[in-house]
Amino acid sequence: STAGGLVVEADVGEIVDRLLAVLTQAGTSLSRMRDGEATSSEAAPPTRRFDFVHNADLRPVLEQAYLDSRRAFDGGDFRQAFILSSSVLEAIVTDALRDAEHTGAGLEAGGELSFDTRIAAAERAGLIHGGCARLPRVARSYRDLTDAAGDLLPDVTISEREARLTGQVLRVVMRDLDPGR
């Protein structure tokens, strides 16, 4: 840190002790919230990450899937994080295309366009920008890798990198679709 223009070095032990104290406090707060000890005045307002989605019924489903994808990634379940992020990404792109009436043939009638085609249509319409260029190839065809229930087939392997990139692209597209966020 600086004090009066001078650089002051802090003891590494002191820094570690402060970090541990902050992490302990955060853990205690999270435990209280999980145990229902937080009062309504202490509780954070509900996250409204998907207010830009035009289908209001879809918003809470997307929010939950988004949170579940983050938890899965943090827990090392890259397959689940990947499939949830891919699904949310496709849903918000499809919602934007339908609302903007830049749908192209087939989107309105049953939505038979591939995810990759939907991305291209959204980019052409100016709804999203080049963020999807980083989307892993496996994410663009994720539906082909799932069973009837939407789960990845058992022989499909998803790397941490593929799951991370898919989540990152999702967040970029969310910003594109909700620029005021």
Side-chain angles (χ1 to χ4, degrees), residues 52-74:
F52 65 91
V53 172
H54 301 92
N55 181 340
D57 293 335
L58 194 55
R59 292 178 194 149
V61 175
L62 292 173
E63 182 65 34
Q64 189 60 54
Y66 179 81
L67 292 172
D68 289 347
S69 74
R70 304 286 297 174
R71 282 189 206 105
F73 186 87
D74 291 344

Side-chain angles (χ1 to χ4, degrees), residues 111-135:
E112 296 304 320
L113 296 177
S114 72
F115 183 27
D116 204 28
T117 302
R118 291 170 199 240
I119 290 169
E123 287 173 340
R124 276 192 312 275
L127 299 171
I128 62 174
H129 308 293
C132 287
R134 294 183 57 222
L135 192 63

Side-chain angles (χ1 to χ4, degrees), residues 66 69-86 89 131-132 134-139 152 157-175:
Y66 179 81
S69 74
R70 304 286 297 174
R71 282 189 206 105
F73 186 87
D74 291 344
D77 187 351
F78 305 124
R79 288 171 52 91
Q80 185 68 8
F82 167 81
I83 198 71
L84 288 168
S85 292
S86 297
L89 181 57
C132 287
R134 294 183 57 222
L135 192 63
R137 190 168 148 160
V138 68
L152 283 173
T157 302
I158 300 298
S159 70
E160 177 181 359
R161 181 179 181 281
E162 290 166 329
R164 178 181 293 113
L165 279 173
T166 303
Q168 289 171 347
V169 169
L170 170 59
R171 288 185 292 283
V172 168
V173 170
M174 288 169 65
R175 280 194 306 268

Side-chain angles (χ1 to χ4, degrees), residues 25-42:
Q25 184 179 10
T28 301
S29 294
L30 288 172
S31 293
R32 286 185 187 147
M33 289 175 68
R34 249 190 317 264
D35 296 337
E37 292 180 27
T39 64
S40 60
S41 64
E42 293 174 333

